[in-house]
Amino acid sequence: MKAIASFSLALFALLQLSSYAGDVKITGEAVCAKCELQEVTSCQMAIKVKNASGKEELIMADNNKVSKDFHDEICQKNAKVVAEGVITEKDGKKTIALTKIERAQ
């Protein structure tokens, strides 16, 4: 029984680590993709960042709890932010599943 508990705990720890393995930190300007950019039909956060070549790029934030809780900070007003999450790309568009976001200093 003790071995099963130890194995379960080790497996849980491994799964937790792998879920954060893809997190990246980005700095940019958070805006409302509906109010500011007219990109979507309902409020959703987007973050404008500069890529490696200095060109501005838009990363849409998934509508998860982190982005929804922060949305009042950026709807109708932009904010410089530092955000962490997993970035994915589909059909040439990048999205981020935020795990943390705060105003930049």
Side-chain angles (χ1 to χ4, degrees), residues 25-79:
K25 185 182 279 191
I26 60 173
T27 303
E29 183 179 22
V31 299
C32 180
K34 177 187 177 211
C35 301
E36 176 77 16
L37 305 174
Q38 290 84 40
E39 293 268 334
V40 293
T41 57
S42 61
C43 287
Q44 181 178 352
M45 184 186 305
I47 303 173
K48 295 179 185 178
V49 297
K50 300 267 186 200
N51 64 19
S53 64
K55 185 179 175 189
E56 189 173 272
E57 167 171 64
L58 186 68
I59 302 174
M60 298 294 288
D62 291 346
N63 275 326
N64 63 13
K65 181 173 176 16
V66 176
S67 67
K68 287 179 181 179
D69 287 349
F70 195 80
H71 193 78
D72 286 344
E73 298 285 325
I74 57 99
C75 194
Q76 302 293 327
K77 56 191 177 286
N78 304 345

Side-chain angles (χ1 to χ4, degrees), residues 90-105:
K90 184 176 181 182
D91 299 327
K93 295 183 180 182
K94 290 186 179 181
T95 62
I96 185 167
L98 293 172
T99 55
K100 181 180 178 182
I101 188 167
E102 58 189 22
R103 286 186 172 270
Q105 300 296 329

